[in-house]
Amino acid sequence: MGILNVTPDSFSDGNTLYQAGQPAGDKVLERAARMVAEGATILDLGGESTRPGATAVSVQQELDRVLPALELIQRELDVVVSIDSSTAQVFSEAAKLGAGMLNDVRALGRDGALVAAAATGLPVCLMHMQGNTPADMQLSPHYEDIVAEVGDFLRQRVLACEQAGISRDRLLLDPGFGFGKTLEHNLRLLNQMQRLQLLGLPLLVGTSRKSMIGQALDRPVDQRLAGGLATAVMAVQKGAKIIRVHDVAATVDAVRMTEAVMMESKGVEA
Ligand code: 7PJ
């Protein structure tokens, strides 16, 4: 899954897709086409920045950022577009334009989100975050047993989805690296992520360029690729089915190599 941020304040790539305060269509399409050529089968399109302390956007702003980019990608490229949003209206409008998946860092916790997502009929990724908003999530994250607590939260959201008419086979789960978690929390969550496979749903993992890599290696955001590849490999070994990244080509190779090794006992040739 390639990350396509159409926000002016994304910490790693968003602002390079902007001109005069608006997402520039040709740049968005160019970035999208490159990720598809590099092997992305899903693009995760987001118009709301969720980094710690990010400012809120209005529903209209988010629609204005996401929908034109979605239309353009749908018209020009053969790829599933995932919508990285928490907003009911964005889910509904994006689904009408052909989006293939919803990805919500608030696990459909916002008003109207469960109902709107259910009505789309689309697959949904539910992510764990401690704290209610990206603005306050990093203030003082605390867990007794992070893996168990992330699992409990996700299990509750799966039940809420089922009650809202979203069947289990439409759901994916994400432990939410960096969302209300210290470095130690993120490291434990990755090291023990196989425990989340007990929920029986596909896992999606996003660590690309995140501060957990910066902190562990003391690297700025433009020097986190090798660290990110290490986390991608580990995530695949621990059961992740989708890896959400900025650097598609390198990650595809790392994941394919990991899978080649994991499959050897099944007699599959490279
Ligand atoms: C994630 C996400 C993630 C899912 C972001 C960033 C912050 N969606 N959206 N999982 N992160 N499912 O990319 O650094 O980890 S935005």
Side-chain angles (χ1 to χ4, degrees):
M1 171 185 268
I3 300 171
L4 196 62
N5 284 320
V6 285
T7 56
D9 56 350
S10 161
F11 79 97
S12 57
D13 67 352
N15 53 16
T16 60
L17 299 180
Y18 260 69
Q19 258 166 12
Q22 286 299 314
D26 52 341
K27 289 193 179 185
V28 171
L29 190 59
E30 193 182 298
R31 175 75 61 92
R34 198 177 97 202
M35 291 194 289
V36 173
E38 290 177 349
T41 51
I42 307 171
L43 296 182
D44 193 34
L45 177 61
E48 183 210 9
S49 176
T50 47
R51 63 183 183 155
T55 48
V57 290
S58 70
V59 172
Q60 193 56 49
Q61 261 177 322
E62 203 186 336
L63 289 166
D64 290 345
R65 290 173 180 178
V66 169
L67 299 183
L70 173 61
E71 275 190 296
L72 193 61
I73 295 164
Q74 299 277 128
R75 195 170 66 225
E76 302 290 336
L77 299 172
D78 184 20
V79 66
V80 173
V81 181
S82 158
I83 302 298
D84 189 350
S85 177
S86 302
T87 312
Q89 293 95 318
V90 175
F91 294 153
S92 309
E93 296 304 315
K96 283 185 213 160
L97 293 177
M101 173 178 165
L102 308 177
N103 171 32
D104 187 359
V105 300
R106 295 177 184 80
L108 304 182
R110 267 199 190 154
D111 283 350
L114 274 169
V115 170
T120 66
L122 294 174
V124 183
C125 179
L126 304 170
M127 198 197 79
H128 173 271
M129 166 162 45
Q130 188 176 85
N132 292 320
T133 65
D136 64 20
M137 68 185 178
Q138 289 299 95
L139 292 183
S140 52
H142 176 79
Y143 303 84
E144 298 298 330
D145 176 347
I146 182 160
V147 188
E149 287 168 52
V150 167
D152 287 345
F153 170 87
L154 292 173
R155 207 174 286 111
Q156 281 170 22
R157 296 312 295 161
V158 170
L159 291 178
C161 283
E162 288 182 316
Q163 279 162 13
I166 305 174
S167 60
R168 225 165 229 267
D169 59 8
R170 278 170 59 192
L171 297 174
L172 302 96
L173 304 179
D174 185 335
F177 288 98
F179 285 84
K181 291 152 188 113
T182 64
L183 173 62
E184 288 68 28
H185 294 142
N186 289 310
L187 297 177
R188 170 146 317 156
L189 199 48
L190 182 55
N191 198 29
Q192 299 190 9
M193 205 183 71
Q194 70 282 357
R195 288 167 61 193
L196 296 177
Q197 283 185 277
L198 291 177
L199 296 170
L201 296 175
L203 296 174
L204 189 157
V205 164
T207 54
S208 185
R209 300 184 188 173
K210 282 187 179 172
S211 65
M212 66 182 281
I213 301 166
Q215 289 167 5
L217 302 179
D218 192 19
R219 295 275 186 249
V221 70
D222 62 344
Q223 292 171 32
R224 296 180 186 170
L225 176 56
L229 294 175
T231 60
V233 168
M234 291 194 73
V236 170
Q237 281 189 295
K238 290 169 191 293
K241 298 292 186 254
I242 300 179
I243 308 290
R244 180 183 180 278
V245 291
H246 302 86
D247 303 286
V248 173
T251 307
V252 167
D253 269 7
V255 167
R256 286 182 58 210
M257 191 65 225
T258 308
E259 285 178 338
V261 176
M262 289 170 69
M263 295 298 276
E264 66 76 28
S265 64
K266 297 180 181 148
V268 175
E269 286 187 43

